[in-house]
Amino acid sequence: MQIRSLSALAFIPTINVIRTFEELINSTYFLENEELLSPIINSFEDTWIGRRNRNNRKRSPQFDFCMWNCYDSVLKHQPRTNNAVEGWHHAFNSALAENHVTMWIIKTYIINLLKQEQSLQEVKMEQSLSGESSSKKRKKYNDYDERLFKIVVNTRKLKQ
């Protein structure tokens, strides 16, 4: 559970990430297991948090907080992943999956496929604007999102 706390940093405000990370690694569990956990902590810090260099200046992490922190996304009920984009990309590539065709056939096929996709997206936008929900999320994921939202909101209230 203690090590999983590191991944929970994605659900706190970005301004609190470094302070909370430092509190975690200075907790009893991490200090007692420092030798065993140091590879994990070092990798996590280099990749997600950033370190202080010799001049005590902050070095940027490999991935900026705005790329991986989901706090605002959870509060705004926005997606936390790019799964929808990946799904669209997979479906589009599958529609193009024809072998040994000429460039002219592919060109015509792609143009028609893009026109169909545009029409589909325009219908979805109209449905969304009219209030129709096109969410195809499974119930368990909707339940997970709602639980996560409640946790983030309750944690936010505790901090205030």
Side-chain angles (χ1 to χ4, degrees):
M1 280 300 273
Q2 295 293 321
I3 294 172
R4 287 185 178 182
S5 299
L6 292 172
S7 62
L9 292 172
F11 300 101
I12 63 170
T14 55
I15 60 170
N16 297 337
V17 169
I18 293 174
R19 182 181 51 80
T20 306
F21 173 76
E22 289 171 352
E23 287 174 9
L24 279 173
I25 62 172
N26 290 319
S27 69
T28 306
Y29 175 80
F30 282 94
L31 292 175
E32 287 176 355
N33 298 290
E34 186 173 3
E35 188 175 318
L36 180 65
L37 297 174
S38 66
I40 294 170
I41 299 298
N42 289 336
S43 174
F44 192 88
E45 194 167 9
D46 290 339
T47 307
W48 308 109
I49 304 297
R51 294 179 185 261
R52 300 233 176 247
N53 63 16
R54 291 181 201 149
N55 301 334
N56 206 24
R57 296 172 76 192
K58 179 97 170 80
R59 188 181 80 199
S60 298
Q62 188 174 355
F63 299 101
D64 193 42
F65 295 172
C66 65
M67 289 181 70
W68 59 266
N69 189 281
C70 300
Y71 177 79
D72 290 329
S73 299
V74 169
L75 289 178
K76 295 175 184 175
H77 296 285
Q78 294 175 336
R80 296 179 312 279
T81 67
N82 67 348
N83 289 351
V85 175
E86 294 289 340
W88 179 89
H89 189 257
H90 177 74
F92 192 78
N93 280 342
S94 296
L96 290 175
E98 290 190 28
N99 294 325
H100 308 293
V101 292
T102 66
M103 193 61 168
W104 296 111
I105 293 173
I106 289 177
K107 182 180 175 184
T108 305
Y109 185 70
I110 288 176
I111 289 171
N112 288 333
L113 191 61
L114 287 171
K115 287 179 181 178
Q116 288 174 353
E117 184 62 28
Q118 179 178 356
S119 296
L120 176 63
Q121 294 307 318
E122 287 174 356
V123 167
K124 286 182 177 181
M125 283 177 27
E126 286 298 324
Q127 288 174 337
S128 177
L129 291 172
S130 69
E132 287 184 43
S133 175
S134 62
S135 176
K136 295 180 183 177
K137 272 189 187 176
R138 292 183 184 165
K139 182 180 179 337
K140 71 178 186 178
Y141 295 121
N142 283 329
D143 292 346
Y144 174 78
D145 287 347
E146 191 55 38
R147 284 195 324 265
L148 187 57
F149 176 78
K150 287 178 182 176
I151 290 169
V152 168
V153 167
N154 287 337
T155 305
R156 184 177 170 195
K157 288 178 183 175
L158 290 174
K159 296 279 185 188
Q160 292 176 349

